[in-house]
């Protein structure tokens, strides 16, 4: 990355907010091969990261209509037999080749990431929250005192793909239990990351142009929220230490808007896949411990920066 005065810098930490791959367009059983390729730029730079799941990461395969546009049997669109990805329930093709279309489950994707990468801080999360996988908390500590927490970062699997787009009541209770255990007096600030925005995002969404107190640059689509609100937003809003929630999912939105005592923020159209042709960029967080503050802005692929906001003094 290059900043405005032409000095190079790298991020200290990267968060993948879901939809790392589009599994419903991958006709193989082992989609972790593509997941590994997607995170390779971060790994190559030696930057630690954490990831959560979106609605496309383990979505069922969808047969492309284009495959059936010509007469006869659809052409072969699966890897060669030595690609170690045609396994599971077989499906016949021309030439007696077989390929699985069962997809790769969340748990398999996360286990592969953890097993193959020393730099990842991702976790599978508590087993009793299954089928939700990526639910965990990371502590950001002071460089002067590794035992002293500066910020707690909570990661949630907001569903989609193989199960409904929702943060369950069990996940909300997990958050309440863990937060009260590790931050009982709410002294340490907290932030939350998930892929699909909660219904609260609809309540604060700008109409047409983005006006203060919201900050951002694109507002090109409606909020596509979770299917139901099962308690997590009430808990977050009542907890004074929670400063902001960050979501992905909507590629044409990059705003931050206040909601009660916290901020609801979007990332931005970042990757080279997915829908939309908006310019690519990423949401940056700068966290300072003395004095504490969370500053955020959007950095574009070409180095342009905009939409700076202080999320917590």
């Amino acid at each position: 990355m290059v900043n405005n005065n032409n000095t190079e810098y790298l991020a200290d930490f990267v968060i993948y907010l879901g939809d790392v791959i589009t599994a419903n367009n991958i006709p193989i059983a082992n989609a972790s091969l593509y997941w590994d390729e997607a995170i390779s730029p971060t790994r190559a730079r030696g930057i630690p990261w954490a990831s959560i799941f979106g609605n496309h990461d383990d979505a069922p395969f969808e047969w492309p209509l284009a495959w059936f546009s010509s007469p006869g049997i659809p052409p072969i669109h699966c890897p060669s037999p030595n690609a170690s990805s045609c396994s599971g329930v077989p499906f016949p093709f021309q030439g007696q080749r077989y390929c699985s279309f069962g997809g790769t489950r969340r748990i398999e994707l996360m286990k592969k990431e953890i097993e193959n990468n020393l730099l990842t801080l991702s976790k599978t999360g508590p087993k009793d929250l299954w089928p939700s996988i990526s639910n965990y908390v990371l502590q950001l500590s002071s460089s002067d005192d590794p035992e002293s927490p500066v910020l707690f970062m909570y990661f949630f699997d907001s569903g989609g793909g193989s199960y409904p787009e929702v943060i369950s009541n069990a996940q909300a209770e997990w958050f309440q239990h863990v937060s009260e255990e590790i931050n009982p007096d709410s002294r340490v600030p907290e932030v939350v990351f998930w892929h699909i925005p909660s219904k609260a995002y609809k309540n604060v969404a700008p109409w047409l142009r983005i006006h203060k107190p919201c900050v951002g640059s694109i507002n090109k689509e409606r909020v596509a929220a979770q299917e139901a609100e099962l308690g997590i937003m009430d808990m977050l809003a009542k907890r004074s230490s929670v400063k902001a929630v960050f979501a992905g999912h909507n590629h044409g939105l990059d705003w931050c808007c206040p909601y009660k005592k916290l901020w609801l923020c979007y990332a931005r159209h970042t990757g080279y896949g997915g829908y939309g042709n908006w310019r690519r960029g990423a949401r940056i967080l700068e966290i300072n411990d003395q004095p504490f503050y969370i500053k955020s802005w959007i950095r574009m692929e070409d180095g342009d920066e905009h939409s700076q906001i202080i999320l917590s003094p």
Side-chain angles (χ1 to χ4, degrees):
M1 303 176 75
V2 180
N3 64 17
N4 290 334
N5 61 10
N6 294 323
T7 59
E8 294 186 0
Y9 68 92
L10 292 175
D12 297 309
F13 189 60
V14 171
I15 296 173
Y16 290 98
L17 270 180
D19 285 359
V20 177
I21 58 174
T22 307
N24 46 314
N25 285 19
I26 300 177
I28 66 173
N30 190 5
S32 60
L33 298 173
Y34 292 90
W35 183 285
D36 190 58
E37 183 178 351
I39 62 178
S40 62
T42 302
R43 182 180 59 242
R45 289 166 172 79
I47 304 172
W49 74 88
S51 57
I52 55 179
F53 290 107
N55 52 302
H56 287 287
D57 292 311
D58 71 342
F61 177 75
E62 297 177 3
W63 289 86
L65 183 61
W67 287 19
F68 300 87
S69 60
S70 59
I73 300 175
I76 297 172
H77 286 271
C78 62
S80 60
N82 60 5
S84 70
S85 57
C86 289
S87 60
V89 180
F91 192 92
F93 273 90
Q94 289 175 321
Q96 300 301 313
R97 287 180 59 189
Y98 292 86
C99 193
S100 170
F101 288 76
T104 306
R105 297 180 303 165
R106 278 168 155 77
I107 186 65
E108 295 168 339
L109 289 171
M110 187 61 85
K111 283 184 176 179
K112 288 289 185 181
E113 179 185 319
I114 295 172
E115 291 172 358
N116 297 337
N117 298 283
L118 296 176
L119 290 173
T120 182
L121 299 182
S122 303
K123 299 179 182 180
T124 55
K127 294 181 179 180
D128 56 359
L129 298 183
W130 186 90
S132 176
I133 299 299
S134 51
N135 303 282
Y136 54 98
V137 58
L138 298 177
Q139 175 181 311
L140 177 65
S141 299
S142 168
S143 56
D144 297 328
D145 182 6
E147 300 300 319
S148 176
V150 172
L151 181 75
F152 288 114
M153 300 181 289
Y154 293 85
F155 300 83
F156 288 89
D157 184 348
S158 54
S162 59
Y163 75 100
E165 298 179 353
V166 67
I167 291 179
S168 67
N169 180 260
Q171 288 171 278
E173 291 182 353
W174 168 82
F175 166 77
Q176 184 176 36
H177 171 75
V178 172
S179 61
E180 290 178 352
E181 179 179 357
I182 66 176
N183 195 17
D185 55 4
S186 297
R187 179 183 59 84
V188 180
E190 300 165 318
V191 292
V192 174
F193 301 90
W194 57 49
H195 179 72
I196 304 174
S198 65
K199 289 184 177 295
Y201 275 69
K202 286 187 172 183
N203 297 335
V204 302
W207 179 253
L208 299 178
R209 292 190 176 186
I210 300 174
H211 299 284
K212 291 184 178 181
C214 297
V215 175
S217 67
I218 56 172
N219 188 37
K220 299 295 185 179
E221 58 180 322
R222 294 182 178 179
V223 172
Q226 298 164 24
E227 296 178 26
E229 168 55 55
L230 300 176
I232 186 63
M233 284 307 304
D234 287 340
M235 290 183 182
L236 298 180
K238 292 177 182 177
R239 190 167 172 83
S240 61
S241 48
V242 177
K243 306 303 180 183
V245 179
F246 301 93
H249 197 50
N250 286 113
H251 301 183
L253 304 174
D254 74 350
W255 44 258
C256 284
C257 289
Y259 173 76
K260 298 184 178 180
K261 295 182 179 180
L262 54 88
W263 288 87
L264 303 182
C265 296
Y266 271 105
R268 192 190 166 92
H269 183 60
T270 301
Y272 283 75
Y275 71 92
N277 58 359
W278 298 287
R279 295 170 59 210
R280 287 178 291 271
R283 178 164 293 282
I284 307 297
L285 296 180
E286 179 181 297
I287 300 160
N288 191 72
D289 59 344
Q290 293 183 359
F292 178 83
Y293 66 78
I294 302 175
K295 182 193 299 183
S296 183
W297 64 92
I298 298 295
R299 180 181 177 82
M300 306 303 294
E301 188 177 32
D302 61 7
D304 183 34
E305 298 180 350
H306 59 81
S307 305
Q308 181 172 296
I309 185 173
I310 299 296
L311 298 173
S312 177

